[in-house]
Structure formats: C-alpha cells, structure tokens
Amino acid sequence: VNQQRERHTLQTVAEPQDLSELLHLRSTLGPNTMLLAGGTDLGVQMRRHLVHPRHLVSLTRVAELHRLELLRSEVVIGAAVTHRTIEDSPLFRGPLLALREACATVGSVQTRNVGTIVGNLCNASPAADTPPVLLAMGARVTLLGPLGTRTLPLSEFFVEYRKTALADDEVMTAVQVPVSGSPTGSAFVKLGRRLAMEISIACVGASISLGADGAITDIGIGLGSVAPISMRATDAEDELRGTRPTVETLQRAADAASAAARPVDDHRASASYRRAMVNVLTKRALNRALNRATDALGVSHE
Ligand SMILES: Cc1cc2nc3c(=O)[nH]c(=O)nc-3n(C[C@H](O)[C@H](O)[C@H](O)COP(=O)(O)OP(=O)(O)OC[C@H]3O[C@@H](n4cnc5c(N)ncnc54)[C@H](O)[C@@H]3O)c2cc1C
C-alpha cells in the first residue's frame, strides 16, 4: 500500500529559467518526470489518477518559450504561448484567422488564459481544436532533445491514438505556421452539443490560397474528432488543388473528406452521424476559407 501511495506522490515542481536547464532537469530527474505547461489537461489527468508524475518541469518561466513572432514566411508560436494570446494577437486576423477561431472555442476564458497551443498538440487528443487548423495550414513542429533539435511536419507528429513522435527526453519548443505570399483564407468550424466548455463531435479546419486567376494554388483540410488522430484529408485536398472551385468540386472534396474519416460511436454521437457531419462541416469550412481568400485576392488587385 505504501509503495502504491508513493507512486502517486508528486515530489518536485521544478521551474527552470532557460532551455538548457529545462533539458538538464528533464533528463536528470529520472522516470516519471512530466512537462507542465498550463496544466489544463495534465491537472485533470492527475486528479483522475490517469497519470502519476513524480516530478513536474514547468515551462512557464522559460522566456524563449513565450516567443510569438512573424519571421520572413512563418509565424513561430513558442510552447508557452496561450490560446488567449493567440486570440488577442493581430498576427491571427488575416490568412491565419482560423487559428484564432479555434483557440477562441477552447474551454472558458480561464482555460484559455493558461492553456497552450503546444499543450493542445502534445496532449494528442483526437478531439482537440487547434490540430485540424494547424494541419490545414501545413504547420511544422520543433522538438528539442539532448542531441539537438529536429523539425517535422505536424502531420507526422500524430502517430496513433494519443501517441506522438515526441521522444521521452524531448520537449516541443515551438510550432511554425507558414504564411503564404498568395491571397489566403482559412476557417475553423466545430460542431458540439453546446457552444462552450465541450469538446467537439466533429471539427474541420481549412486553408486555401488562390492564384491571380482564382485557381487554388495551395489547400489544406484538417479533421478532428473523427479518427484516432487529428488527420489531414489529403484526398479531399487533391480534388481541389489546381482547380477553380465550383459547387460540384467542393462537394466532391467534402465527399472525399467523409470517406477518409474513421469515426467511432460514443456517448456524444454515432459514427454515421459524425461521417455525415464531416461532409457538412468540410463544405462550410471550405466555403468560408474560399470567401476569405477571394476577398484577399480582391484586395491584392486594388
Ligand atoms: C474546462 C476545460 C475545457 C476544455 N475545453 C477544450 C476545448 O474546447 N477544446 C480543446 O481542444 N481542448 C479543451 N481542453 C483541453 C486543454 O485546455 C487544451 O488541450 C490545452 O491546450 C492544453 O494545454 P496546457 O498548456 O494546459 O497543457 P498541459 O495540461 O500543461 O499539458 C498537456 C500535455 O502535454 C505535455 N506537454 C505540454 N507542453 C509540452 C511541450 N512543450 N513539450 C512536450 N510535451 C508537452 C504535458 O506533459 C501533458 O502531457 C479543455 C480543458 C478544460 C480543463
């Protein structure tokens, strides 16, 4: 019984000041060490005895992880950047608007004040709100470990249900979101049993870039809550890439997205309802993203 109790005891909450101290603590505190960002997932999991960390290493005092900046062709979002910061940032009012829309639906203001985008990714829930948008935008993630950093497409980060490409000794330091030079629009739509404080029955993120002739030069579609992982609907994207979109091609893309989904029955909805909703939500997200891209194309021609 004592051993059992000890296994459940949290011994240390470390607050490193920089990345090298963070990595050092991560590797020296030993097994049962977990990273703590906002704690909105981890705190709940600890209270429910789903995880039993002996040591927590907090990210919040590492200044570098708070970076949020536009470099030449990408926005870099550090691991300590919260949903609320994204909502308030002017960087997410143009082509990257969908990320703001997704962040704005996460829990309550209190959840968003401390919860981070990177925590949303690393928790790897297939029902999370920001991954479909970040997948649609072609985001990449940077992982730092004792041997250095590696960057991989977010689509390769989610491996299987709640399993990611993150190694035990690694930390995700940032997510990079490309900003297209072409007129671009994005959108996020979420269907839930109610509007706030509820994970989705299905959600879709879309991003569309247009050439001067109105043809789609780049497209991304991400799906949430309808497969074991947040997934990119590549067949649906292929229906539209290089074309001037019509009602028929948008419908074909929506059909391809629902065909690619692998939903399950649960207490929120049946698999068949989810599949039908992927169709509806994909069309809705694509139409919104397309309208926004078309507006941006109009502005770029003025
Ligand atoms: C009331 C409530 C409502 C919610 N509603 C929603 C919702 O509508 N939509 C939604 O998507 N989510 C929702 N959530 C879930 C949660 O708020 C989000 O997933 C949030 O983004 C998690 O971020 P965090 O910073 O709190 O992560 P934490 O809880 O600190 O960490 C989550 C996991 O990621 C790991 N981790 C964190 N940062 C890193 C890193 N840099 N590198 C490696 N691993 C890391 C942690 O070790 C932990 O395993 C809700 C939660 C609550 C409590």
Side-chain angles (χ1 to χ4, degrees), residues 26 33-45 51 56 59 65 79-81 83 102 105-108 111-112 114-125 127-131 143 157 166 170-174 190 195-200:
R26 182 110 170 93
T33 299
M34 289 189 77
L35 296 171
L36 173 70
T40 60
D41 279 316
L42 193 53
V44 173
Q45 289 158 8
V51 292
L56 289 177
L59 307 179
L65 298 181
V81 172
H83 295 290
T105 73
V106 172
S108 62
T111 319
R112 304 199 290 274
V114 291
T116 60
I117 308 268
V118 166
N120 202 221
L121 299 178
C122 292
N123 189 57
S125 161
D129 285 327
T130 65
L143 310 180
F157 180 70
L166 191 81
E170 284 182 317
V171 50
M172 185 185 290
T173 53
K190 171 175 177 175
L195 276 180
M197 304 284 282
E198 172 71 329
I199 59 169
S200 69

